[in-house]
Amino acid sequence: MYSETEDLVRDLAENAEGVCRAYLPAGRREGSYWIVGDLQNNPGRSLFVRLTGPASGPGAAGKFTEHVAARVM
């Protein structure tokens, strides 16, 4: 099944660093992750966004982990 949503997910995964720079500018790149405090763009090291990897599935670019809440999205 092909959809605009799949296109959007793929495009976001391919441009994960640019999305992070635009929406989470308080963070910074460390290796293959963008690290910031939280989704509200507070400074810190609790939210990790994967910048590299496949467009979907395990290890996909754009997936993030919020360590404070121990959630993977």
Side-chain angles (χ1 to χ4, degrees):
M1 175 192 257
Y2 181 79
S3 72
E4 290 179 16
T5 302
E6 291 170 336
D7 285 344
L8 178 60
V9 169
R10 186 188 67 250
D11 290 347
L12 287 171
E14 290 173 357
N15 298 297
E17 185 170 353
V19 171
C20 288
R21 287 185 184 282
Y23 291 97
L24 301 169
R28 66 186 178 284
R29 182 181 184 133
E30 285 191 20
S32 58
Y33 291 91
W34 189 263
I35 301 173
V36 68
D38 55 32
L39 290 173
Q40 287 73 42
N41 193 39
N42 292 306
R45 298 183 51 83
S46 295
L47 181 73
F48 290 72
V49 181
R50 183 179 292 276
L51 300 176
T52 61
S56 63
K63 295 260 182 168
F64 65 91
T65 302
E66 184 179 10
H67 288 281
V68 170
R71 295 184 300 179
V72 176
M73 306 300 229

